[in-house]
Amino acid sequence: MNSCTILRSVLLSLNTSWVSNQRRWIRSAPSLYRTAGHTSNTTVHHSEATLGKLRSLNRQFDRRLRSVYQRYADGPDHTVFQGSHHVYIVEGCGIYRMGHTEEEQDMVQVFHTDCAGDVEGTIQRVRLSATESILAATAKNSHKEEAKCVVIRLDNHNAPQKPMLILDNVFSFEWASDDVLVYTTQEGLQCRHVFRLHLTNTGNQSELLYEEKDPEFFVEVSRSRDQRLLTINCSSKKSSEVWLIDSKCPFSPPTQVQPRQPGLLYHVEHSNNLLYILANTGTGHEYQLLRAPLSSPAMQHWKPIFSPGPGAVIKDMEMLQDHCVITGREPQGQLQLQSISLKSPDHGTVLQLPSWACAVETQRIGTVDKDTFSFLLSSPVHPPIRYHLSPAHQRPLSREHAFQHQHTLLTECHTTRLQAASQDGTMVPMTLFHMKALADLSEAPLLVHVYGAYGLDLNMSFSPEKRLLLEDNWTLAYCHVRGGGECGVSWHRAGCLQQKMKGVEDLSACIQTLFQSGVSQPALTALTARSAGAVLAGALCNKNPHLLTAVHLQAPFVDVLGTMQDPSLPLTIEERGEWGDPLTNPQDRDNIASYCPCHNIVPQLYPSMLITAYSGDSRVPLSGVLKYVERLKKAIQTHTSSSSRLPIKGNVPTIMLDLQPGNDHFGPEDFDQSVSETAQQLAFFYTVLGLEYKGSQQKMRGKRKRTIK
């Protein structure tokens, strides 16, 4: 993924929201739970008392998590969408609909994953044809990467219809017309082929429309908001290229917007025969909004119409009939919406959002109101609230009040934005959520979050388990380190390739700044990271283990060097733009070797770790995770084997490996399995940090405090 996918994330499109997870069911696979260690005298051996407490806490958190999830089950989400004649609801493994004037009891099922054959998993994407006569939906098993696309003709029958056809290994798809479907196929983790399917009364004809030759590029299709254009988006870590299909002539060859060139990233929208282009052609190679005629789309015709102010960045855009709505971030990370008149783009209106707002989720399926932009605002501890933006109205921003139960309100919650000075003087933004005043957080347990890769923002959408921790008086800290996308394209580039260690320095500075500001202490601090975020977390544990007491890594990418030296793995070639190529570039190899978590483990006292891995994960090879665990275990054993270095009893680090079946890199889609996994993580944090769990309250046991060295 490259920086352009800040706007339309390819990988995250496979992941689904916490609300939808509750509505899915598949038979839970039994988990294989084991600890890394031996039964002899080793640093990773668990006493029966410790294991007993973990099991007891696990059960308690499992019950409470189910209650917390249920509390927010009726919140707004985008599993409901509008057609021209019906309202559609995605529920579990089915799609239901009812007329606009009908009641919920009139709802009928129009699709179920059973019709896809051996699929027992989840619905990934749904698209209606222009006249709402045909529905296409992808469904996949939870333990497979590839999805099946089922095409069904919609009529007045009150039962799910037999599929017109089923397409295998489909990743993205859009309707060019009522009888033309354009889709990409997925081979492993790569998408390089685009097909055009023509549905006729005499049969269905499919032809290859586009083939990507460069293995570093990923291809997907999307549709402009006004439904006029389909776009074939070709993206690598370093550049992008877009081809257009006009729905007025869906059988014409695709038209290229601008040929790919190193360093150029762009994304295209359309309105009134004009292309609106987000491209990193602004100051410092940041995104700006440009415009060009549909008939002359090449770069020499691009004219800038909006650039963000100093320190601010553009994250996305939505085209309305007469306005463009820009989603951006202010210099300290605050979300911002700005409405720009297409007739007078020099005049923009900044729309005030709640100070707690951290995540925006938009709806892009079904029919679209050309004058209104609907979206959800949330934070890790604030459940989603739906807003409507109509720039032409006197009061353009309105908020729905359907989900205003007392338990969702957090008037006593503080959202604090801080900055930490990194080793080279760069100021790194942080977002904190806490119940007590900042000055009263020295004894509060702290959970630190980090990602810092691929130019992606740290996930800050609503998470019921984070709300649970906040209600238990935890402080939640989100560190927006270099390598991520919170501060723009340059922020990503300042933390990738040869600069990857900058993200580790940023993370260390953030944690130390929190301690110096009176927020928590090392003995009460836990760190959580997933996937590529584990690179920074693991490197920090090698470099400054004394800053942390507990660490949770999920689907962790910890053997960067070993993975990037194996071109047979599905993502190695595609990801060279993020990590480098250690096979052909000695400088890249030395750089990766300098920070790779798996290759820099030394004998010392590490934080206790819970590592959750998935045996069939094709993005993160299990062999690297197992190698990391074994080396950690050996390093801790070596350190503690000397009697002069024996730590105080009770502070010996615990290394736990939770090895789950399947390839759920993004976490289990099955609700029961997801709750069980989260309960285990919370039980681990409370046990290692020495916190007594008392229902909705916790208190610290007597525990030796550590200081920053």
Side-chain angles (χ1 to χ4, degrees):
M1 294 170 61
N2 63 16
S3 298
C4 185
T5 53
I6 299 171
L7 310 169
R8 299 283 184 263
S9 171
V10 172
L11 291 183
L12 292 182
S13 68
L14 289 174
N15 205 9
T16 45
S17 68
W18 65 271
V19 178
S20 300
N21 280 341
Q22 297 185 81
R23 299 174 175 173
R24 300 192 176 112
W25 61 271
I26 58 174
R27 183 168 298 179
S28 298
S31 64
L32 173 62
Y33 184 80
R34 66 187 177 107
T35 58
H38 305 290
T39 56
S40 58
N41 183 21
T42 128
T43 60
V44 291
H45 175 65
H46 296 294
S47 68
E48 284 301 319
T50 299
L51 287 174
K53 180 180 179 182
L54 278 169
R55 295 190 189 101
S56 176
L57 280 175
N58 203 333
R59 290 190 295 269
Q60 294 181 61
F61 277 116
D62 190 287
R63 289 192 296 269
R64 189 174 173 200
L65 280 168
R66 292 176 187 277
S67 174
V68 171
Y69 273 84
Q70 184 62 38
R71 193 194 311 176
Y72 302 106
D74 295 328
D77 61 69
H78 286 325
T79 59
V80 179
F81 60 96
Q82 303 283 334
S84 301
H85 312 292
H86 297 85
V87 177
Y88 292 79
I89 299 174
V90 180
E91 185 84 18
C93 295
I95 301 174
Y96 304 80
R97 75 174 184 180
M98 59 185 178
H100 286 298
T101 60
E102 292 180 325
E103 300 295 331
E104 189 169 338
Q105 61 265 25
D106 300 317
M107 190 183 306
V108 297
Q109 187 179 74
V110 296
F111 173 83
H112 194 277
T113 56
D114 285 349
C115 68
D118 59 347
V119 175
E120 297 181 356
T122 58
I123 298 169
Q124 299 293 298
R125 180 185 287 211
V126 183
R127 294 293 186 267
L128 293 170
S129 65
T131 61
E132 201 181 332
S133 60
I134 306 178
L135 178 147
T138 44
K140 79 177 191 73
N141 286 319
S142 60
H143 299 316
K144 291 183 179 180
E145 288 287 349
E146 295 80 13
K148 292 186 176 184
C149 181
V150 183
V151 181
I152 293 178
R153 187 173 299 279
L154 298 173
D155 52 29
N156 295 323
H157 291 91
N158 293 332
Q161 299 301 296
K162 292 183 178 180
M164 298 173 61
L165 78 161
I166 299 175
L167 302 169
D168 290 328
N169 304 328
V170 172
F171 180 77
S172 60
F173 58 96
E174 297 288 350
W175 291 102
S177 67
D178 264 341
D179 58 357
V180 176
L181 183 73
V182 178
Y183 64 95
T184 61
T185 55
Q186 181 178 354
E187 302 93 27
L189 296 177
Q190 299 169 335
C191 288
R192 297 179 185 169
H193 298 91
V194 182
F195 293 88
R196 176 166 49 204
L197 174 69
H198 185 202
L199 305 174
T200 70
N201 293 329
T202 58
N204 306 313
Q205 301 174 349
S206 184
E207 63 174 327
L208 180 64
L209 190 62
Y210 177 88
E211 182 178 11
E212 177 57 55
K213 302 293 187 181
D214 191 330
E216 292 193 17
F217 277 74
F218 189 98
V219 182
E220 65 169 338
V221 296
S222 60
R223 194 168 184 175
S224 62
R225 197 174 195 272
D226 66 358
Q227 314 291 298
R228 170 72 182 275
L229 299 179
L230 268 67
T231 59
I232 299 175
N233 308 297
C234 311
S235 303
S236 77
K237 301 294 186 297
K238 301 175 183 178
S239 63
S240 57
E241 180 179 273
V242 178
W243 296 74
L244 305 177
I245 301 173
D246 194 331
S247 61
K248 291 185 177 181
C249 43
F251 294 103
S252 297
T255 301
Q256 188 182 59
V257 175
Q258 166 63 33
R260 65 191 66 173
Q261 61 185 55
L264 176 63
L265 308 170
Y266 70 96
H267 173 78
V268 176
E269 258 289 0
H270 174 269
S271 179
N272 296 321
N273 290 316
L274 292 170
L275 294 182
Y276 289 86
I277 304 151
L278 278 185
N280 66 327
T281 53
T283 303
H285 300 289
E286 294 296 342
Y287 282 107
Q288 62 177 168
L289 180 63
L290 307 102
R291 182 162 58 190
L294 177 60
S295 57
S296 304
M299 190 174 179
Q300 61 263 34
H301 302 290
W302 296 0
K303 303 297 182 185
I305 62 173
F306 173 78
S307 297
V313 296
I314 296 176
K315 304 303 298 180
D316 206 347
M317 67 173 172
E318 288 289 335
M319 299 302 303
L320 304 183
Q321 185 166 348
D322 298 311
H323 293 81
C324 178
V325 180
I326 296 290
T327 303
R329 288 192 185 275
E330 298 175 357
Q332 287 199 347
Q334 175 72 40
L335 270 181
Q336 183 184 82
L337 290 184
Q338 192 157 352
S339 174
I340 299 167
S341 170
L342 300 183
K343 297 177 180 178
S344 304
D346 293 336
H347 298 87
T349 302
V350 177
L351 302 155
Q352 190 67 39
L353 299 180
S355 60
W356 50 261
C358 295
V360 178
E361 182 185 354
T362 62
Q363 183 172 7
R364 300 278 302 193
I365 58 176
T367 58
V368 177
D369 186 337
K370 294 182 179 180
D371 297 314
T372 301
F373 167 41
S374 297
F375 58 96
L376 300 177
L377 283 184
S378 68
S379 85
V381 298
H382 294 83
I385 297 176
R386 191 184 304 279
Y387 285 79
H388 303 285
L389 174 59
S390 303
H393 294 185
Q394 186 174 3
R395 298 187 64 181
L397 192 62
S398 61
R399 166 179 166 174
E400 284 190 1
H401 297 281
F403 188 55
Q404 294 301 307
H405 304 306
Q406 183 64 34
H407 60 250
T408 69
L409 301 178
L410 266 180
T411 54
E412 67 274 29
C413 172
H414 301 276
T415 303
T416 303
R417 289 180 169 82
L418 300 175
Q419 288 187 316
S422 195
Q423 186 172 312
D424 61 1
T426 300
M427 301 306 294
V428 182
M430 293 182 284
T431 306
L432 268 65
F433 299 95
H434 49 102
M435 298 293 279
K436 296 180 179 179
L438 197 65
D440 299 327
L441 297 178
S442 62
E443 298 292 325
L446 171 66
L447 182 59
V448 179
H449 304 73
V450 71
Y451 188 70
Y454 303 116
L456 293 176
D457 292 9
L458 189 56
N459 182 13
M460 296 189 69
S461 57
F462 180 60
S463 175
E465 58 266 26
K466 302 302 166 59
R467 176 68 175 250
L468 182 155
L469 291 176
L470 186 78
E471 292 174 354
D472 279 3
N473 286 318
W474 282 66
T475 299
L476 307 176
Y478 292 78
C479 304
H480 309 298
V481 303
R482 281 174 283 187
E486 289 87 347
C487 300
V489 178
S490 59
W491 196 248
H492 169 221
R493 292 179 174 171
C496 69
L497 295 173
Q498 296 294 321
Q499 305 299 319
K500 181 57 70 174
M501 197 63 191
K502 296 296 184 183
V504 183
E505 295 169 359
D506 292 352
L507 177 59
S508 178
C510 286
I511 296 173
Q512 294 188 65
T513 297
L514 290 173
F515 295 156
Q516 293 161 6
S517 301
V519 178
S520 197
Q521 52 194 271
L524 292 173
T525 298
L527 172 66
T528 183
R530 68 172 327 278
S531 192
V535 174
L536 304 187
L540 179 71
C541 291
N542 288 333
K543 186 180 180 182
N544 293 317
H546 57 276
L547 294 178
L548 307 164
T549 294
V551 174
H552 172 241
L553 303 178
Q554 183 180 21
F557 185 33
V558 285
D559 187 13
V560 185
L561 186 59
T563 301
M564 296 307 296
Q565 290 184 124
D566 186 353
S568 68
L569 295 173
L571 291 179
T572 295
I573 296 176
E574 187 179 332
E575 301 219 331
R576 286 172 178 167
E578 179 72 20
W579 311 100
D581 183 3
L583 284 178
T584 63
N585 189 326
Q587 187 178 6
D588 284 348
R589 189 194 187 286
D590 292 343
N591 178 58
I592 295 173
S594 71
Y595 66 76
C596 177
C598 197
H599 291 78
N600 288 277
I601 295 171
V602 297
Q604 61 181 340
L605 279 185
Y606 280 84
S608 291
M609 292 191 191
L610 170 62
I611 299 169
T612 305
Y614 306 95
S615 60
D617 190 340
S618 53
R619 288 175 172 82
V620 176
L622 180 61
S623 59
V625 178
L626 297 177
K627 185 194 303 183
Y628 178 70
V629 170
E630 289 303 313
R631 290 184 179 182
L632 269 180
K633 178 178 65 175
K634 184 176 180 181
I636 296 172
Q637 289 174 334
T638 300
H639 179 78
T640 57
S641 62
S642 171
S643 59
S644 62
R645 293 180 177 178
L646 284 177
I648 296 175
K649 184 178 180 181
N651 280 348
V652 177
T654 295
I655 308 297
M656 301 171 64
L657 175 62
D658 177 18
L659 182 57
Q660 297 284 346
N663 62 356
D664 299 321
H665 179 77
F666 296 107
E669 293 181 344
D670 172 65
F671 176 62
D672 290 330
Q673 192 174 348
S674 178
V675 169
S676 176
E677 194 172 284
T678 303
Q680 181 173 281
Q681 296 160 15
L682 297 182
F684 170 77
F685 286 147
Y686 274 72
T687 300
V688 171
L689 297 186
L691 303 174
E692 292 287 356
Y693 180 65
K694 301 289 186 181
S696 62
Q697 297 178 342
Q698 54 81 20
K699 62 181 181 179
M700 191 180 81
R701 296 185 302 176
K703 187 179 177 94
R704 182 173 68 93
K705 298 181 181 179
R706 291 191 282 180
T707 57
I708 305 175
K709 296 179 182 178

